[in-house]
Amino acid sequence: MDTIKDLLRFLVARRKVWLWPLFLALILIGGLVVFTHGSAIAPFIYTVF
């Protein structure tokens, strides 16, 4: 959690608002891969990427 807090502080302090969508997309894609790792739809997810 400290890494996420540091990242958010950096983005706010340096006014790097344009990076927020990039990090959000990376988090969503990473979460999708992690949560579908053992499921039956995992092969279909991997073919998309």
Side-chain angles (χ1 to χ4, degrees):
M1 289 305 276
D2 290 334
T3 305
I4 295 171
K5 288 179 185 176
D6 288 340
L7 179 64
L8 289 175
R9 282 189 209 133
F10 171 78
L11 292 175
V12 170
R14 304 280 188 212
R15 302 199 187 267
K16 302 287 185 187
V17 180
W18 57 273
L19 286 174
W20 289 25
L22 177 70
F23 287 122
L24 183 63
L26 287 174
I27 290 169
L28 289 176
I29 290 172
L32 182 67
V33 169
V34 168
F35 288 127
T36 61
H37 179 70
S39 71
I41 62 169
F44 302 110
I45 298 290
Y46 289 122
T47 58
V48 171
F49 298 111

